[in-house]
């Protein structure tokens, strides 16, 4: 099988592992920068031109598209879909997951538990927004933030007002969420492949840090999910139509609460914490769907 990984950096751990496992299973694996693809649209013959050739030989793609190139990256994925190439995540599903507000609305409709969340259109009535989520402290998140960037903990009403006013002044759209104190700076990442949990880790933020992202110095250990956590992770994957994704959740006094769903989860942290071969699981998922 000819498998293409859509990635701007072939040296990233996740990309290298997918190449390694694909080649171990006898496939031809190629890394292609989606921003260097030309999308050719014509009647009944959609094609993609890359460097010196047409990509008309591809059997399956693995999108590893960064948040900063979502628009063009998803256009390339969509073009492959028009060419009847299998993708582990559709362009529509990637775009849904990248829109925090849209994805939370869909997940709420699906009955999935999450921290109380408020979105407002540059409201000046900050006090009312804070009350909607149960008072301070609150978490304030940029809708476009990734890897813990654009996430602020406001411990007092004055701090929340200052942060919201600053974001409003920049015309940056944000959501306000209740702070789950009992989570103690930790969250859970469940890795889903083919709609099933194939690995899970508990990430703990470094001392004094409420964000648990590994990129920000957090640590990770393997964890066995309970029945509620398994159900939440698989339901979230199903609700956003993402058969391969990372589901982040908090442990709270009222059960697991969903934080977000990542359509291009990194493999390094989860493979090292769980000692499970997640990359191979993704390749075998492709094999099951192409054969």
């Amino acid at each position: 099988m000819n498998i293409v990984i859509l990635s701007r950096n072939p040296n990233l751990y996740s990309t290298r592992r997918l190449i390694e496992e694909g080649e171990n299973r006898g496939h031809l694996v190629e890394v292609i920068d989606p921003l260097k693809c030309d999308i050719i649209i014509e009647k009944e013959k959609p094609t993609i031109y890359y460097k010196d050739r047409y990509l008309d030989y591809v059997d399956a793609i693995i999108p590893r598209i960064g948040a900063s190139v979502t628009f063009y990256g998803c256009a390339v994925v969509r073009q492959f879909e028009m060419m009847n190439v299998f993708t582990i995540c559709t362009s529509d599903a990637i775009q849904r997951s990248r829109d925090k507000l849209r994805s939370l609305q869909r997940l709420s409709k699906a009955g999935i538990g999450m921290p109380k969340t408020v979105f407002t259109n540059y409201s000046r009535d900050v006090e009312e927004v804070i009350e909607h989520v149960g008072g301070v402290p609150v978490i304030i998140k940029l809708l476009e933030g990734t890897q813990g960037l654009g996430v602020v903990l406001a411990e007092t009403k004055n701090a929340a007002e200052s942060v919201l006013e600053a974001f409003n002044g920049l015309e940056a759209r944000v959501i306000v969420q209740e702070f789950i104190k009992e989570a103690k700076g930790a969250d859970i990442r469940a890795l889903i492949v083919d709609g099933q949990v194939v690995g899970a880790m508990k990430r703990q933020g470094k001392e004094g840090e409420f964000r648990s992202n590994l990129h920000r110095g957090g640590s990770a250990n393997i964890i066995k999910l309970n029945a509620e956590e398994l159900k939440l992770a698989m339901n979230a994957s199903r609700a956003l139509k993402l058969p391969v994704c990372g589901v982040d959740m908090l442990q709270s006094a009222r059960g697991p609460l969903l934080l977000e769903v990542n359509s291009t989860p990194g493999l390094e942290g989860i493979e090292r914490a769980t000692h499970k071969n997640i990359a191979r699981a993704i390749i075998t998922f492709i094999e099951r769907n192409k054969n």
Side-chain angles (χ1 to χ4, degrees):
M1 205 181 333
N2 291 303
I3 299 174
V4 159
I5 302 171
L6 293 173
S7 172
R8 301 204 66 206
N9 187 350
N11 298 316
L12 291 175
Y13 176 94
S14 301
T15 306
R16 288 190 284 107
R17 286 286 296 120
L18 289 163
I19 294 168
E20 182 182 337
E21 291 302 327
E23 291 178 344
N24 284 347
R25 295 186 65 83
H27 305 298
L28 294 173
V29 186
E30 183 180 5
V31 179
I32 283 176
D33 183 346
L35 296 192
K36 293 180 180 176
C37 291
D38 293 331
I39 297 171
I40 301 172
I41 303 168
E42 59 179 315
K43 185 179 178 182
E44 296 181 355
K45 195 186 176 184
T47 53
I48 294 174
Y49 191 77
Y50 179 74
K51 292 186 175 177
D52 57 353
R53 63 195 184 283
Y54 292 98
L55 301 181
D56 53 6
Y57 54 86
V58 179
D59 298 302
I61 61 169
I62 302 174
R64 301 288 309 173
I65 294 164
S68 62
V69 297
T70 297
F71 177 80
Y72 197 79
C74 282
V76 172
V77 174
R78 192 178 308 116
Q79 188 77 348
F80 275 115
E81 292 168 15
M82 298 300 105
M83 296 160 59
N84 297 315
V85 174
F86 176 76
T87 174
I88 66 166
C89 294
T90 67
S91 55
D92 284 347
I94 294 170
Q95 287 181 311
R96 270 195 299 271
S97 71
R98 293 281 164 84
D99 184 333
K100 280 193 179 76
L101 179 62
R102 184 181 177 190
S103 62
L104 287 175
Q105 287 173 314
R106 288 180 68 96
L107 292 161
S108 171
K109 172 78 169 147
I112 292 168
M114 60 188 69
K116 290 177 187 174
T117 303
V118 173
F119 173 72
T120 184
N121 192 36
Y122 309 132
S123 171
R124 299 297 173 194
D125 195 349
V126 174
E127 192 167 335
E128 190 174 273
V129 171
I130 293 169
E131 287 307 309
H132 281 316
V133 297
V136 292
V138 295
I139 300 292
I140 302 170
K141 293 182 181 179
L142 279 173
L143 283 179
E144 294 82 18
T146 60
Q147 296 181 351
L149 298 172
V151 181
V152 178
L153 170 63
E155 300 196 60
T156 66
K157 189 163 74 73
N158 286 342
E161 287 176 352
S162 297
V163 173
L164 285 171
E165 285 168 5
F167 281 142
N168 286 346
L170 295 169
E171 296 191 355
R173 297 191 182 278
V174 299
I175 55 175
V176 180
Q177 287 187 323
E178 70 171 312
F179 176 61
I180 307 300
K181 185 178 180 181
E182 60 267 31
K184 297 178 180 176
D187 72 5
I188 293 171
R189 160 66 63 90
L191 210 297
I192 305 279
V193 177
D194 202 5
Q196 302 296 314
V197 175
V198 294
M201 62 179 173
K202 186 169 186 176
R203 303 181 297 190
Q204 179 68 55
K206 64 183 180 181
E207 191 168 346
E209 174 62 77
F210 72 96
R211 293 166 293 187
S212 59
N213 305 73
L214 300 184
H215 296 85
R216 311 200 67 80
S219 58
N221 294 291
I222 189 170
I223 186 174
K224 184 175 181 180
L225 302 185
N226 63 32
E228 276 189 290
E229 291 160 351
L230 281 168
K231 183 179 178 183
L232 183 150
M234 292 187 289
N235 285 348
S237 163
R238 198 174 302 120
L240 294 185
K241 298 183 180 178
L242 282 168
V244 176
C245 61
V247 178
D248 297 341
M249 61 188 113
L250 295 174
Q251 293 175 311
S252 82
R254 60 182 190 266
L257 301 175
L258 183 129
L259 280 178
E260 65 178 339
V261 181
N262 190 324
S263 56
T264 53
L267 303 184
E268 184 171 9
I270 192 92
E271 285 199 335
R272 289 182 174 169
T274 64
H275 303 292
K276 292 188 176 180
N277 194 331
I278 309 294
R280 184 171 62 198
I282 293 171
I283 299 298
T284 56
F285 166 60
I286 294 171
E287 292 170 350
R288 286 194 299 274
N289 283 272
K290 279 303 294 177
N291 294 336

